[in-house]
Amino acid sequence: MDEEIFDSTTGWVADHIRTYLETNGEKGHMYQGWPTLLLTTRGRKSGKLRRTALIYGQDADRYLLVASNGGSAAHPAWYLNVMAEPDVTLQVKADRFAARARTATAEEKPALWTAMTSIFPLYDSYQTKADREIPLVIMERV
């Protein structure tokens, strides 16, 4: 029996995930003009599988995510989860696969950040507003 996956409880995110799943990403991969994927993590406290939808970029065969949380002072829950358990599942369109997450190093981040802000320019204003260094996460297929 497959383990139950709990989707984001934020209404519009849950709707986005449902559409993405029902259409294998045909609808939902592009969300308001931005490419999105589905990330499933293991909850660091609950141990339950948690799924959310996130804007992503690519660097060769790696997937890039920004843990912006809209520029809030706290890291998003998904980032805390991947730092506790870096083995995750990604879905990009109809392709579902295992991946391993890691935070970009200080040397890697500037070029990757530029790639991500070219996709979603608000990341720069989120960083200005945040009282923390916003992590950029590299996901590699395993």
Side-chain angles (χ1 to χ4, degrees):
M1 183 167 111
D2 287 335
E3 189 174 352
E4 184 176 5
I5 299 172
F6 295 86
D7 291 337
S8 171
T9 56
T10 303
W12 66 270
V13 179
D15 291 343
H16 180 189
I17 293 168
R18 191 174 320 102
T19 299
Y20 204 113
L21 292 170
E22 288 171 354
T23 66
N24 270 330
E26 287 297 316
K27 293 181 182 172
H29 175 256
M30 292 305 290
Y31 183 78
Q32 297 183 356
W34 303 301
T36 63
L37 56 68
L38 301 182
L39 168 67
T40 304
T41 63
R42 173 84 52 198
R44 68 199 176 286
K45 296 177 186 173
S46 68
K48 295 177 180 176
L49 293 177
R50 306 283 185 188
R51 181 167 45 207
T52 194
L54 298 166
I55 295 169
Y56 76 94
Q58 284 186 267
D59 179 55
D61 59 349
R62 305 184 307 173
Y63 293 87
L64 309 175
L65 303 174
V66 175
S68 67
N69 208 12
S72 77
H75 291 309
W78 69 260
Y79 178 73
L80 299 175
N81 289 344
V82 299
M83 291 303 95
E85 175 49 72
D87 293 324
V88 300
T89 301
L90 297 181
Q91 180 173 340
V92 180
K93 297 183 182 175
D95 188 18
R96 290 185 182 100
F97 54 93
R100 181 158 296 123
R102 68 177 178 84
T103 303
T105 65
E107 295 75 27
E108 293 172 307
K109 187 177 177 183
L112 300 176
W113 184 265
T114 298
M116 290 306 294
T117 57
S118 73
I119 294 166
F120 191 73
L122 285 175
Y123 287 140
D124 279 331
S125 62
Y126 291 171
Q127 181 58 79
T128 300
K129 161 172 113 164
D131 289 333
R132 63 184 171 92
E133 175 82 14
I134 293 178
L136 191 143
V137 179
I138 298 168
M139 298 280 181
E140 297 179 278
R141 191 184 289 256
V142 292

